[in-house]
Amino acid sequence: SEETSPNKSVMRKRTTTDPPPSPADPSEGGEKLRLKQEVGLISGVSLIAGTMIGSGIFMSPEWVLHHMGSPASSLLIWAACGVLATFGALSYAELGTIIKESGGEYIYILRIFGSFPAFLFAYTSVILVRPAGLAAVCLSFAEYAVAPFYPGCSSPQAVVKCAAAACILVLAIINCLNVRLATSIMNVFTAAKLLALLVIVAGGMVLLAKGQTQSFQNAFQNTTAGIGTVGVAFYQGLWSYDGWNNLNYVTEELKKPEVTLPRAVMIAIPLVTCLYLLVNVSYFAAMTPTELLTSGAVAVTWGDKVLGSWAWLISLSVALSTFGSSNGTFFSGGRVCYIAAREGHMPEILSMAHVRCLTPSPALLFTSAMSLVMVMSGNFTSIVNFFSFIAWFFYGMTISGLLYLKIKKPELPRSYKVPIIIPIIVLMAAVYLVLAPIIDQPQIEFLYIVLFMFSGVILYFPLVRFKCHPRFLQRVTLHLQLFLEVAPTARDAN
């Protein structure tokens, strides 16, 4: 994969070198720490599907309908989002078999475009995007988890935020202790949420069999088709599919990545797309479009109408689903921070792993801290829109890197090839999703995000390019290393 770098001397400025021996560094004897390869096909499918099926399918349908105006057009958006997520994941699968390193977009941008754009991605992702995404999912978990304690009224925001913070802390402990424990929890919660979605699908089929099809008569009536409106509807739909690229963040922890990565993608994303479409059909069978638009929580309203006294099952299922999804987001998000630190784009302490648990615990703890800050100032809908805007900017950059490799470096070994038309479609969609809402509905917040991203320039040149590190940072790193019982890690031999 090093051949993919047009500027290798700049990009690989920090390969893993043996550090000076320290009390917390077990590599003195020549053996370097590595993260374990413990993610197989089932865990891979669970990581993708389990992260994708989170709060989105229980909260986004009303917003997609709100922007599109009619049941049929909103179903088309859900289907198109599934196709786009599949195309994106298949493109990433090829990248993952060329560049067999963890880190997702970060490592691909680094190896293809160089150090500076990769730093901007890491800076934005680690400090803003990943913590914001985790905060949004944990806030929706908290909403559903505390709702039963406040029947008939909205839950106090202080209680919701405390529950979300508790969720983040529990996830931090689980993921710092053991990779196998984290993946086992993912597998169990993925099975539970699939069961919950199947209950909603089965209920919808029964309602349709009884003739409740009024929402599907004149199904395109009231459709709105503005460029920006469709873009924002896509944002809400794609939020439910977010996680399609999660396996690329943990490539070094996959068993046989060249086989597991494409297979897991081809199983997980079509499965989730079919479920999402059937769940939306079930919502429309149980509710009129007006009822769906006025529902605060679509799944709970569906449960009240269809399950009666068993409606509490839906609230429980949504809480379990969002907890499982946040676990997957946390599992992969911590890896971006860890890999960026290993490449010299974040403080060195974040590139270390626990000497016994073999987990990137400093990176996970840092991600937790940033997510807790986001939770304290969180707003679900705005987080989704701005998260999607910046995420698709970097997805587009990554896909353009794949097109560069396919055209300029076709000789690079790869065990899986995606037809070139697929990444071209994803790139066109990414450009549309970034530009359409800005052109149609400009908001000052989009400018703030872009300014934040480019504020990384101020840090990049002194700290990364010219390596002007204050001397006291080395002492701080050593003390943290001793306190957290962590040591530097080696790259996987892949």
Side-chain angles (χ1 to χ4, degrees):
S1 65
E2 292 177 19
E3 292 174 282
T4 63
S5 163
N7 189 7
K8 196 169 87 176
S9 61
V10 174
M11 292 189 316
R12 293 190 71 99
K13 69 208 160 319
R14 238 198 112 260
T15 54
T16 309
T17 53
D18 286 321
S22 75
D25 184 359
S27 61
E28 292 174 82
E31 178 116 7
K32 297 283 287 194
L33 283 180
R34 295 182 191 280
L35 300 185
K36 290 183 180 177
Q37 289 183 310
E38 291 195 337
V39 183
L41 181 60
I42 292 173
S43 293
V45 171
S46 293
L47 178 59
I48 298 173
T51 309
M52 286 169 73
I53 304 170
S55 58
I57 189 59
F58 305 108
M59 298 181 83
S60 293
E62 63 184 287
W63 293 104
V64 176
L65 180 63
H66 169 75
H67 292 295
M68 294 309 298
S70 70
S73 60
S74 64
L75 286 173
L76 285 176
I77 290 289
W78 282 96
C81 288
V83 171
L84 184 57
T86 305
F87 283 1
L90 290 174
S91 302
Y92 271 45
E94 179 172 342
L95 273 170
T97 59
I98 301 172
I99 303 170
K100 297 178 186 176
E101 296 178 73
S102 296
E105 291 88 9
Y106 168 76
I107 206 72
Y108 304 145
I109 292 170
L110 175 63
R111 296 287 173 252
I112 299 166
F113 296 115
S115 181
F116 179 56
F119 173 80
L120 290 184
F121 171 81
Y123 170 72
T124 311
S125 180
V126 169
I127 294 176
L128 187 68
V129 177
R130 281 277 156 177
L134 182 59
V137 180
C138 288
L139 282 167
S140 53
F141 160 79
E143 286 280 2
Y144 280 96
V146 305
F149 300 101
Y150 298 92
C153 63
S154 57
S155 309
Q157 277 304 295
V159 175
V160 170
K161 290 188 174 185
C162 285
C167 175
I168 289 169
L169 293 173
V170 169
L171 289 171
I173 292 166
I174 290 168
N175 281 270
C176 287
L177 283 177
N178 195 303
V179 171
R180 189 169 291 172
L181 175 62
T183 54
S184 299
I185 285 172
M186 256 181 311
N187 295 349
V188 170
F189 278 83
T190 300
K193 68 180 75 175
L194 287 174
L195 190 61
L197 289 181
L198 287 172
V199 168
I200 295 177
V201 170
M205 296 302 108
V206 170
L207 292 175
L208 289 174
K210 289 181 177 176
Q212 286 191 227
T213 57
Q214 64 274 19
S215 293
F216 302 103
Q217 292 158 11
N218 301 318
F220 281 101
Q221 194 172 350
N222 302 321
T223 299
T224 52
I227 291 175
T229 310
V230 173
V232 176
F234 258 102
Y235 277 175
Q236 290 294 333
L238 286 167
W239 166 256
S240 303
Y241 287 94
D242 192 65
W244 54 265
N245 56 334
N246 263 7
L247 218 52
N248 292 75
Y249 289 106
V250 295
T251 307
E252 291 172 30
E253 294 170 72
L254 293 179
K255 298 172 184 173
K256 297 182 182 173
E258 65 283 350
V259 176
T260 303
L261 189 54
R263 279 187 187 170
V265 163
M266 290 173 193
I267 294 169
I269 302 178
L271 171 71
V272 172
T273 304
C274 292
L275 271 174
Y276 279 4
L277 284 170
L278 291 170
V279 166
N280 272 282
V281 168
S282 181
Y283 289 156
F284 284 121
M287 291 172 265
T288 63
T290 309
E291 285 175 320
L292 202 145
L293 283 171
T294 54
S295 164
V298 184
V300 173
T301 307
W302 183 93
D304 291 336
K305 280 180 160 287
V306 179
L307 300 180
S309 59
W310 289 89
W312 59 272
L313 275 174
I314 296 295
S315 290
L316 176 65
S317 299
V318 176
L320 292 175
S321 176
T322 46
F323 183 82
S325 178
S326 50
N327 182 50
T329 303
F330 195 90
F331 185 82
S332 60
R335 268 59 180 177
V336 180
C337 182
Y338 161 77
I339 299 295
R342 199 172 67 178
E343 296 293 339
H345 285 163
M346 289 283 150
E348 187 183 8
I349 187 69
L350 299 177
S351 69
M352 298 185 187
H354 196 277
V355 293
R356 289 188 305 278
C357 300
L358 301 181
T359 55
S361 51
L364 292 168
L365 292 171
F366 181 78
T367 302
S368 307
M370 296 308 301
S371 300
L372 288 170
V373 172
M374 295 285 177
V375 160
M376 294 307 136
S377 56
N379 177 301
F380 180 80
T381 310
S382 62
I383 283 177
V384 170
N385 286 346
F386 303 131
F387 171 95
S388 300
F389 164 76
I390 203 158
W392 278 94
F393 175 84
F394 284 113
Y395 293 161
M397 183 186 285
T398 307
I399 294 295
S400 64
L402 173 63
L403 289 170
Y404 167 80
L405 292 183
K406 287 179 86 69
I407 295 164
K408 295 287 188 183
K409 306 217 178 237
E411 75 284 355
L412 287 175
R414 59 198 91 192
S415 57
Y416 169 79
K417 288 185 181 179
V418 69
I420 195 166
I421 188 65
I422 287 180
I424 289 172
I425 291 169
V426 178
L427 181 60
M428 288 166 61
V431 171
Y432 170 77
L433 286 166
V434 169
L435 294 181
I438 296 176
I439 294 166
D440 195 63
Q441 298 175 331
Q443 295 180 53
I444 192 69
E445 287 85 353
F446 289 125
L447 177 62
Y448 293 154
I449 289 173
V450 173
L451 288 175
F452 174 84
M453 186 166 65
F454 285 103
S455 69
V457 176
I458 301 164
L459 297 173
Y460 175 78
F461 285 98
L463 295 178
V464 179
R465 189 76 178 84
F466 300 112
K467 299 188 175 76
C468 301
H469 299 158
R471 197 167 276 253
F472 77 90
L473 276 181
Q474 291 182 345
R475 288 199 298 275
V476 171
T477 300
L478 183 63
H479 287 303
L480 283 173
Q481 202 179 334
L482 289 164
F483 177 69
L484 296 172
E485 296 186 339
V486 294
T489 58
R491 270 192 191 80
D492 194 296
N494 282 337

